[in-house]
Amino acid sequence: GEFGEGWYSGMIRTVEDYEGGGYYFECRCILALGGGFCSAFWLNSPGMASEEASNGGIGGAEVDIFEACNYRDRINRDSVGLTIHVGGYGDGLRSQGLGYFRVKEPYTQYNTYGLEWTDEEYIFYINGVEAARSDFKDGVSKGLEYVLLSLEIPSAGSIIVEPGFSTDFIVDYVRVYKKA
C-alpha cells in the first residue's frame, strides 16, 4: 500500500463537539480480540492540551467510556476498563481508574457501553446497568468534548500475532442523546 508494510490502527471522531453535560453517549459493538490491539469508545477534549486548559477536568477531560485491552490477562480477560484522565498529557496528568467490569462474550456478541455526562458526575453503563460513577478531581468537564472510536495498535514490540492474523472491532452504532 501507500504507506508500506506494517501495522496500522484507526480512529473515528465526531464532527460535533458537545459542551457542559446533559448528554448520554452509547455504543453497541463487538470488541477486537487478540494481538495486543485495544478497542476503545471515549470522549476527549481540546482542554486536554495542557494542565492549565484542563483545569482539574473542568476545562476538559479524557473519559474512557471503555477500553478493552485485557484478552491476555486471565483475570480481566472478558472485561472493559473505565478511566478518567485530566490535567493534559504532560506532568499534570492525573487519572482515576474506576475498575474493570465483566462483559458477557465481548469478543463474539454485541454489548452496549454508555456514559451519562451530567452537570455533577459521569455515570458509566454496561448493557444498561450502571457500572460506576465519578466526579474525579475538580469536577466534570464544562468544556468541549468530542466522541472517539479507536482500535489502538500495541506499543512497539508488544504485538503478539501469528502469520495471517487479523482482528475486527465491529460497531453497530454510536448514539448521542441530549437531555431536554
Side-chain angles (χ1 to χ4, degrees):
E2 180 181 339
F3 299 102
E5 290 186 15
W7 292 97
Y8 300 93
S9 64
M11 181 181 297
I12 300 171
R13 74 156 274 182
T14 54
V15 172
E16 297 86 4
D17 291 328
Y18 305 93
E19 186 172 18
Y23 290 94
Y24 178 75
F25 305 92
E26 184 175 86
C27 177
R28 182 174 184 262
C29 60
I30 299 173
L31 306 179
L33 175 64
F37 291 82
C38 181
S39 308
F41 175 47
W42 48 302
L43 302 181
N44 207 344
S45 172
M48 280 298 285
S50 70
E51 184 174 359
E52 295 74 29
S54 177
N55 190 23
I58 296 170
E62 175 186 324
V63 182
D64 299 330
I65 302 170
F66 80 76
E67 284 186 308
C69 316
N70 304 317
Y71 32 76
R72 290 193 308 237
D73 179 343
R74 290 193 189 280
I75 296 170
N76 293 317
R77 179 179 168 84
D78 293 326
S79 66
V80 294
L82 315 178
T83 310
I84 300 169
H85 306 279
V86 302
Y89 293 112
D91 293 339
L93 178 66
R94 300 292 177 266
S95 302
Q96 179 187 48
L98 299 168
Y100 293 100
F101 296 84
R102 284 250 179 259
V103 181
K104 185 179 180 189
E105 304 293 331
Y107 310 111
T108 58
Q109 293 182 14
Y110 285 102
N111 288 278
T112 60
Y113 306 91
L115 175 76
E116 185 177 354
W117 172 22
T118 74
D119 291 334
E120 296 81 32
E121 63 187 339
Y122 304 109
I123 309 168
F124 296 80
Y125 296 89
I126 299 172
N127 293 319
V129 177
E130 183 180 320
R133 288 175 179 243
S134 178
D135 63 353
F136 177 60
K137 199 70 175 115
D138 296 335
V140 299
S141 176
K142 306 293 185 218
L144 297 175
E145 299 281 339
Y146 49 89
V147 181
L148 292 147
L149 284 169
S150 57
L151 180 60
E152 298 167 23
I153 210 163
S155 58
S158 66
I159 296 176
I160 301 172
V161 298
E162 299 295 323
F165 169 83
S166 68
T167 191
D168 294 303
F169 176 22
I170 303 167
V171 177
D172 181 33
Y173 66 75
V174 170
R175 294 183 178 146
V176 179
Y177 299 91
K178 171 76 173 152
K179 263 195 175 166

